[in-house]
Amino acid sequence: MKLAELQRGDKAVVTSVDSSGETGMRLIDMGLVAGAHLKFLRKAPLGDPIEIQIRGFLLALRKEEAARISVEVTGHMGDGVPMGKRERKGRMKGRRHEGKA
Amino acid sequence: MKEKLKHIKAALAGNPNSGKTSLFNGLVGAHMKVGNWAGVTVEKFEGYVRYKGYKITFTDLPGTYSLTAYSPEEVIARNYIIDEKPDVVVNVVDGTNLERNLYLTTQLMELEADMVMALNMYDEVKASGLEIDVKQLQVLFGCHIVPTNAVKKEGLNSLLDHIIRVYEKDIIVKKNKLSYDLQIEGAVDSISNVLREDAELAQKYPARWMAVKLLEADQLVYNQVTGRAVWLNTERVVKAAIAGNEDAPGAGLRARIASDRYAFVRGAVKETVKGPLGEKKSITDYIDAVLINRFLGLPVFLVIMWMLFQFTFKLGEAPMGWIESFFAWFGAVVKDSLPDNELRSVISDGIIAGVGGVVVFLPNILLLFLGLTFLEATGYMARAAFVVDKVFHRLGLHGKSFIPMVTGFGCSVPAFMACRTLKNRGDRLATMMVIPFMSCGAKLPVYILIIGAFIPEGMRGNALFGIYLFGILVAALSAKLFKSTIFKGESEPFVMELPVYRLPTAGSILVQMWIKAWMYLKKAGTVILAASVIIWFAGSYPKDTAGAEIFEGSALEAASLPEDERQEAVNRLENELAARQLEHSFAGRAGKAIEPVIKPLGFDWKLGVALIAGLAAKEVVVSTMGTIYALGDTGGDVSTLTERLKANPDYTLPMALSLLVFVLLYVPCIAATAVFHKEAGELKWTLFYIAYSLTTAWVFAFLVYRTVLVFSA
Ligand SMILES: Nc1nc2c(ncn2[C@@H]2O[C@H](COP(=O)(O)OP(=O)(O)OP(=O)(O)O)[C@@H](O)[C@H]2O)c(=O)[nH]1
């Protein structure tokens, strides 16, 4: 599935990125590499670009650029599954407790 | 005895929005100077501080996310570190955004820079409940880390202490190596071993860094190595490595290398940061839910832009009036206190009038900059680009183009300079070439005069709005044309961080506004000074001696008139003389010379003179028309310029509309053109741009004139 096809609120993990050319370089520099977790936040009022959250910051990119990125949906915002829980279940739990304490 | 200061050279490197500028200002205070990096239009900030017997010079490197060779900023930052070899590199890191910020840090590590990390925004880190294990982070990155709050100036002395200790080798910066996957490590090892055979090269650049860069297909490093003897062996090893790796699972080498860097950073963050992760909504989330909402996003954008203009022009009106009266008064004082000669004329009619004409816009410019800087600093500008990007994308431009274009409504000079934010050369030149079609503030008096004289009462507002709209339309079409012909090819990708909203401090906004305003004054000021003198000269020479004699005679006659009529008669004569002089001058001759060219647009030579004079500054069109229309109309009792224009039977509605269009589109003033030239960097673009705007102006004015002529017949 392509990044641009995600729905508002979807959480996903990057599976592959076309890293050729300047655009590819930019995407990599902003942390869009295989294995990165992201949240699809919204489309711009005119439908393009889109806004995602990745590595703790907000990133806007055009659908054209987003088409270079393949993702796999891991969940949906608000459905209680924290981002990337599958991969780091054990460690995350402990940390979350400490954070709240 | 005065002890000699030891000199330390330090550089600030970091992501955009990491607080570099704030830190720089906090460290050096007023001791800073703004310049340009050689050969590129990227600003260079330098400054120094005296501290504990040391003089520490700071260079603020451009904010970048990475150190690839793609953007000029990145090349500047990394070349500075490699070539200038600063004693200490201060890596400014936004503590609230560690993962992305530390990615740059890994690349600084690879450059083997002597680094100190300023862990900035530490106040926000604490406020958000995050806990960073600074000690452990130091171990992982091999450098010392100083928590700072650049705005409150906390931690700055400690940072300075660390810089000195690194300089004095009291702290040894461990050059930790970032390790990649086994295949890549193998390739890096064999490439760097070959490279080390060239002692000179290895002295200059870290071999391991070069090896990684070669695998990343970094063009600049390729260029460094290809000319040398070691290239023979290097090429073989690099080729083998690439061939052996690109078919490995996953994407290209570049992506894998970046992936490993990110994996390292991610591991480091996991190990050292504790705190509430994940789902909690931030203030930024709430603000964005309104400001870039699917339905409200565009209306909010339009309202904010409208407010910006109200703010700029309404608030600017009063001070503009003061400046205008000041220059009028000053000109009069100079006139009264100097003997009547050429020097007086060049000072009062040339320099004071010309420079005054530019300085008058200073309030507008300051307010516009204030508004733009504020929007930029809060984080809204990036959102605005996000909201309007689709429109600009259709035209082949970038969402970021809209900031310079908005600025263009104030003045083209700062607008051209604002184009620096566009990295792609084609995008930048295309944007620069359409900026003058956005009606600048100086064109407004011209519109008002023409519209007031020829457009029926009820239609005037619409006409003014229409001309602005028409300019935007021509700009859009031109951009589309440029981007699909001469500037075809890849545009800058739209991959942009939307920074969190922050309330900027008044001090930082004022400083930045002042820096921009000062650049405007300096650039416009020097060129305008020269341009004013040239235009003055063209309008005053050669002298119309015959006219002056007639004037003397008539003045004598007027002297015999009764008191109340005399003053009026003298005034009229003086106007007439001025008009005759202008007709006789180079400017007048030029006007007559171009008459055949502008005849098809409905203009006569008088308008030609006014349009040429308008090259000094657009509002000069009005004052020149004022002077030149004194000629020949002395018989009637028409007094104001508007009435004189109306009374002239040659001037009709079609001509007026054609003139409006021409003034809108033709070459901007000399100052703007000079700045265009500086920013574009090549003469051919300046010439092309002049030719393009003149052609466009002529064609559209012609079409308008002929069309309206047909319909009004
Ligand atoms: N709370 C807090 N805010 C900070 C700190 N340092 C900087 N800021 C704010 O962060 C914003 C960005 O700071 P700048 O100094 O402009 O950042 P920069 O890295 O120079 O950004 P560019 O000019 O885009 O390269 C400003 O609004 C600052 O007021 C800090 O330590 N704490």
Side-chain angles (χ1 to χ4, degrees):
Chain A
M1 187 174 197
K2 294 289 179 203
L3 172 56
E5 295 164 28
L6 291 180
Q7 297 296 310
R8 214 189 153 90
D10 279 347
K11 292 179 201 166
V13 58
V14 176
T15 52
S16 75
V17 180
D18 170 4
S19 60
S20 59
E22 174 176 3
T23 309
M25 208 71 218
R26 288 270 150 259
L27 295 173
I28 291 178
D29 287 345
M30 296 312 249
L32 279 158
V33 293
H37 290 268
L38 57 87
K39 246 189 265 183
F40 189 95
L41 294 183
R42 58 170 63 80
K43 290 176 182 163
L46 297 171
D48 197 18
I50 61 170
E51 184 191 1
I52 62 171
Q53 184 177 16
I54 180 165
R55 301 189 191 275
F57 71 100
L58 306 173
L59 184 70
L61 68 170
R62 283 187 190 142
K63 286 183 174 168
E64 203 176 304
E65 275 101 36
R68 291 161 159 262
I69 300 159
S70 302
V71 295
E72 204 174 276
V73 179
T74 56
H76 196 80
M77 247 191 299
D79 65 4
V81 187
M83 263 179 91
K85 186 171 175 188
R86 269 164 238 192
E87 285 79 11
R88 24 180 194 141
K89 223 181 228 162
R91 301 183 62 177
M92 287 291 294
K93 258 195 186 141
R95 182 145 305 145
R96 283 164 71 82
H97 280 302
E98 281 168 32
K100 274 179 190 151
Chain B
M1 198 183 82
K2 205 171 158 227
E3 205 189 339
K4 199 160 168 357
L5 294 176
K6 280 200 205 167
H7 191 172
I8 304 178
K9 197 156 88 177
L12 296 179
N15 276 194
N17 289 310
S18 57
K20 255 165 11 74
T21 307
S22 310
L23 195 67
F24 178 76
N25 290 338
L27 287 168
V28 305
H31 300 292
M32 70 162 162
K33 83 176 191 251
V34 188
N36 258 349
W37 293 92
V40 282
T41 46
V42 176
E43 275 136 41
K44 178 179 189 177
F45 292 87
E46 280 178 312
Y48 67 89
V49 59
R50 289 204 181 86
Y51 183 77
K52 292 189 179 170
Y54 293 86
K55 180 180 175 182
I56 310 176
T57 313
F58 287 95
T59 302
D60 192 11
L61 300 176
T64 61
Y65 295 110
S66 175
L67 293 177
T68 51
Y70 270 110
S71 75
E73 280 82 2
E74 293 180 348
V75 175
I76 289 170
R78 91 180 201 194
N79 283 357
Y80 187 85
I81 294 171
I82 297 172
D83 298 333
E84 304 288 322
K85 299 212 188 307
D87 299 310
V88 184
V89 173
V90 179
N91 177 205
V92 186
V93 165
D94 172 359
T96 62
N97 196 346
L98 270 184
E99 216 170 304
R100 210 210 42 230
N101 275 257
L102 290 175
Y103 180 70
L104 180 72
T105 312
T106 60
Q107 297 184 51
L108 291 170
M109 273 164 71
E110 273 174 341
L111 274 178
E112 299 181 12
D114 279 318
M115 192 159 59
V116 175
M117 190 190 298
L119 190 58
N120 198 32
M121 314 252 179
Y122 204 66
D123 50 321
E124 288 192 5
V125 172
K126 282 200 170 150
S128 66
L130 290 173
E131 261 175 58
I132 302 178
D133 182 349
V134 175
K135 281 236 168 67
Q136 183 57 19
L137 206 57
Q138 289 192 147
V139 172
L140 290 169
F141 283 88
C143 65
H144 275 240
I145 299 179
V146 184
T148 56
N149 174 350
V151 173
K152 293 253 164 67
K153 302 192 181 176
E154 286 164 12
L156 300 199
N157 281 350
S158 167
L159 186 62
L160 291 174
D161 288 333
H162 277 81
I163 292 172
I164 293 174
R165 286 176 58 197
V166 169
Y167 174 78
E168 295 292 0
K169 303 270 182 285
D170 182 25
I171 298 175
I172 301 299
V173 179
K174 296 194 189 64
K175 307 285 162 73
N176 285 7
K177 286 194 176 48
L178 198 79
S179 46
Y180 297 101
D181 69 45
L182 282 177
Q183 275 178 311
I184 295 179
E185 276 301 325
V188 168
D189 274 347
S190 44
I191 298 172
S192 43
N193 281 339
V194 177
L195 286 172
R196 281 198 192 95
E197 287 166 15
D198 186 335
E200 194 193 353
L201 195 66
Q203 168 76 24
K204 220 170 152 195
Y205 311 101
R208 195 179 149 84
W209 174 76
M210 275 192 288
V212 173
K213 284 287 150 192
L214 287 174
L215 290 178
E216 284 184 310
D218 184 294
Q219 203 52 49
L220 293 185
V221 173
Y222 261 94
N223 294 346
Q224 287 296 324
V225 187
T226 41
R228 312 185 71 94
V230 279
W231 179 239
L232 222 60
N233 287 332
T234 316
E235 188 181 24
R236 192 172 40 76
V237 190
V238 172
K239 278 223 170 106
I242 290 177
N245 277 290
E246 285 289 9
D247 52 5
L253 276 175
R254 239 188 218 174
R256 278 171 59 195
I257 291 174
S259 230
D260 285 343
R261 287 189 192 129
Y262 264 114
F264 171 75
V265 169
R266 192 162 176 79
V269 170
K270 268 193 185 173
E271 204 178 319
T272 55
V273 182
K274 290 186 185 129
L277 285 162
E279 303 285 292
K280 211 179 125 235
K281 281 203 166 187
S282 66
I283 300 172
T284 297
D285 293 329
Y286 289 111
I287 300 178
D288 270 347
V290 179
L291 288 196
I292 52 175
N293 172 292
R294 183 160 355 142
F295 305 104
L296 293 179
L298 268 177
V300 165
F301 167 76
L302 292 174
V303 167
I304 290 179
M305 287 302 123
W306 181 83
M307 276 167 31
L308 179 67
F309 275 88
Q310 290 295 315
F311 173 75
T312 304
F313 290 106
K314 283 274 172 319
L315 235 66
E317 260 167 31
M320 271 177 92
W322 304 333
I323 295 179
E324 236 164 8
S325 3
F326 169 78
F327 276 97
W329 168 83
F330 188 53
V333 167
V334 169
K335 261 209 160 105
D336 287 344
S337 53
L338 289 178
D340 185 1
N341 59 20
E342 292 306 287
L343 181 69
R344 181 181 93 165
S345 177
V346 73
I347 292 177
S348 68
D349 301 334
I351 297 174
I352 296 180
V355 173
V358 175
V359 178
V360 146
F361 288 103
L362 195 61
N364 275 345
I365 300 280
L366 284 177
L367 288 167
L368 185 69
F369 281 157
L370 188 65
L372 289 173
T373 312
F374 178 79
L375 290 179
E376 178 90 53
T378 51
Y380 182 73
M381 263 323 177
R383 267 85 183 172
F386 175 69
V387 168
V388 298
D389 178 66
K390 183 153 185 196
V391 178
F392 281 82
H393 191 37
R394 282 262 165 86
L395 303 175
L397 294 178
H398 195 279
K400 280 193 287 185
S401 295
F402 106 95
I403 300 173
M405 283 168 86
V406 167
T407 313
F409 284 118
C411 173
S412 297
V413 172
F416 289 144
M417 299 195 287
C419 286
R420 292 174 176 191
T421 50
L422 294 160
K423 302 300 168 235
N424 179 283
R425 195 164 162 73
D427 288 357
R428 185 149 112 221
L429 283 169
T431 308
M432 282 173 64
M433 292 204 197
V434 303
I435 279 173
F437 298 148
M438 319 305 280
S439 289
C440 75
K443 290 178 187 167
L444 191 61
V446 192
Y447 298 155
I448 289 175
L449 174 76
I450 302 169
I451 288 176
F454 295 101
I455 307 284
E457 186 82 53
M459 293 291 291
R460 288 178 186 163
N462 290 346
L464 191 60
F465 185 67
I467 194 76
Y468 273 81
L469 216 59
F470 185 67
I472 297 172
L473 194 74
V474 174
L477 292 176
S478 304
K480 183 86 198 154
L481 178 72
F482 289 144
K483 284 299 289 184
S484 45
T485 53
I486 41 175
F487 300 128
K488 215 152 78 186
E490 206 182 343
S491 289
E492 187 189 346
F494 190 97
V495 180
M496 195 169 75
E497 181 187 5
L498 301 182
V500 297
Y501 288 105
R502 283 213 167 83
L503 201 60
T505 57
S508 73
I509 291 219
L510 289 177
V511 167
Q512 287 189 40
M513 178 189 83
W514 177 244
I515 289 173
K516 288 183 191 156
W518 178 240
M519 283 171 60
Y520 164 77
L521 273 183
K522 219 164 65 178
K523 288 204 175 176
T526 44
V527 184
I528 278 288
L529 200 69
S532 316
V533 174
I534 294 170
I535 294 282
W536 168 85
F537 181 81
S540 321
Y541 286 91
K543 283 290 170 207
D544 179 15
T545 39
E549 271 163 29
I550 298 173
F551 171 73
E552 293 294 328
S554 312
L556 279 178
E557 275 172 38
S560 61
L561 289 170
E563 183 80 25
D564 50 340
E565 287 174 39
R566 188 165 48 200
Q567 192 51 41
E568 202 181 310
V570 169
N571 282 349
R572 206 173 58 222
L573 281 170
E574 274 176 357
N575 280 344
E576 206 175 321
L577 177 70
R580 276 199 63 137
Q581 169 56 40
L582 192 55
E583 182 180 0
H584 188 75
S585 70
F586 292 118
R589 291 170 198 198
K592 289 204 163 146
I594 63 166
E595 194 170 28
V597 182
I598 56 175
K599 199 97 207 170
L601 312 178
F603 308 159
D604 58 11
W605 70 270
K606 294 180 184 177
L607 286 178
V609 175
L611 290 172
I612 291 174
L615 293 178
K618 283 300 153 79
E619 73 277 14
V620 174
V621 171
V622 175
S623 57
T624 311
M625 282 166 86
T627 311
I628 203 153
Y629 284 107
L631 184 72
D633 284 331
T634 40
D637 48 18
V638 280
S639 51
T640 69
L641 179 55
T642 314
E643 281 163 8
R644 244 180 264 140
L645 287 176
K646 264 188 194 162
N648 190 327
D650 293 342
Y651 291 175
T652 56
L653 181 68
M655 181 237 80
L657 291 175
S658 152
L659 183 60
L660 273 180
V661 169
F662 197 84
V663 169
L664 164 72
L665 302 176
Y666 89 116
V667 210
C669 64
I670 297 184
T673 310
V675 172
F676 178 98
H677 179 64
K678 241 187 162 164
E679 298 287 315
E682 274 178 281
L683 185 64
K684 71 171 183 195
W685 291 123
T686 313
L687 294 177
F688 172 78
Y689 153 79
I690 292 172
Y692 181 78
S693 54
L694 281 176
T695 317
T696 321
W698 196 92
V699 169
F700 278 105
F702 181 79
L703 289 177
V704 166
Y705 183 60
R706 293 294 147 182
T707 316
V708 182
L709 212 53
V710 169
F711 281 98
S712 60

